Amino acid sequence: MSILEQIRHRRSVRTFDGEEMKQEDLNGLLEFADTIKNPYGLPVKYKILKAKEHGLSSPVLHGEYAYLFGMIKQVPHAEEAFGFSFEQLILHADALGIGTVWIAGTMDRKQFEEAAGISEGEVLPCISPLGYYTGKQSLKEHMMRKAIKADSRAPFEELFFRHDLQSPLKPEEIPDYKDVLEMVRWAPSAVNKQPWRVIVDGMDFHFYEKHSKGYIDASGWDLQKIDLGIAMSHFDLGIKEQGKIAEFRIGDPSLADPEELEYIGTFQIK
């Protein structure tokens, strides 16, 4: 299965079979985690804790065996770096047949932070349950997915543009990279807001954030920048699958009104 097919077929899992997981699967996740790098060079620490052993749970889950934790220092670009790295681990879990779902709010955050043992200056942006999928959804899960339209995404032309925001990009206009942009389009995001916008200018792919209210806390932590990191991770994986190199840089090309979109970073195809 190509990475595009995997991204299109992966589903968030909230209902698990409750069975004990194979230790080799858990070990495989942590071993793969050690190989993940992000464009910002910021390290992410990972930990797996068994749910029953540590008294961990979430009201939106059923039957999870363990939890995957990701921790990072709260420094500039930590959100994007975390999203980029954690998503690659989520996709690897899916390839191993392990169910996952991004969770940032529906948990007792203090309890999970204490269980994780976060250090001074660290944050625990998100966690994911781990377990094997039953193939079924609870009524609660079904209603949650329906409420946020989890199985749909915004049209291609609403997310991608050529040269400026006045020129929506159609898939047929960019045949060499339409599949890569489809991978970006299908990235998961908080409440399925899809806050990324991409302006394509030659071989430069400029990523921007379209802010929604209520996603930045008092410390300045921006949950939607994690979504941008996930989208950029998909882009990077797609380019690598094509055997190409995308060099990442930060340098605002001033192609969008900063009051409408916040510039995040640029991938240049080599």
Side-chain angles (χ1 to χ4, degrees), residues 184-199:
V184 173
R185 190 169 81 93
W186 280 95
S189 58
V191 201
N192 201 20
K193 286 289 187 180
Q194 305 158 68
W196 47 82
R197 299 293 182 269
V198 181
I199 298 179

Side-chain angles (χ1 to χ4, degrees), residues 69-81:
F69 295 74
M71 293 153 282
I72 191 169
K73 290 286 187 182
Q74 189 166 358
V75 296
H77 304 298
E79 300 101 315
E80 302 97 294

Side-chain angles (χ1 to χ4, degrees), residues 158-173:
E158 288 185 16
L159 301 175
F160 309 115
F161 304 85
R162 186 181 294 281
H163 305 311
D164 55 53
L165 292 175
Q166 285 68 53
S167 306
L169 183 64
K170 296 180 180 180
E172 59 269 23
E173 295 175 333

Side-chain angles (χ1 to χ4, degrees), residues 103-105 107-114 123-126:
I103 289 184
M107 61 174 173
D108 184 332
R109 178 164 291 278
K110 182 178 179 181
Q111 181 189 25
F112 275 81
E113 288 177 345
E114 289 177 353
V123 288
L124 176 70
C126 301

Side-chain angles (χ1 to χ4, degrees), residues 37-64:
K37 294 180 174 58
N38 60 70
Y40 302 92
L42 298 177
V44 180
K45 289 185 357 186
Y46 302 95
K47 181 180 288 188
I48 293 175
L49 296 178
K50 296 176 182 177
K52 290 182 179 179
E53 183 178 321
H54 294 272
L56 301 172
S57 65
S58 166
V60 300
L61 304 175
H62 177 75
E64 70 276 20

Side-chain angles (χ1 to χ4, degrees), residues 181-214:
L181 293 181
E182 270 296 303
M183 291 168 58
V184 173
R185 190 169 81 93
W186 280 95
S189 58
V191 201
N192 201 20
K193 286 289 187 180
Q194 305 158 68
W196 47 82
R197 299 293 182 269
V198 181
I199 298 179
V200 182
D201 190 20
M203 289 292 98
D204 288 342
F205 292 73
H206 306 291
F207 280 73
Y208 294 84
E209 177 184 1
K210 183 176 178 62
H211 290 279
S212 300
K213 291 182 179 180

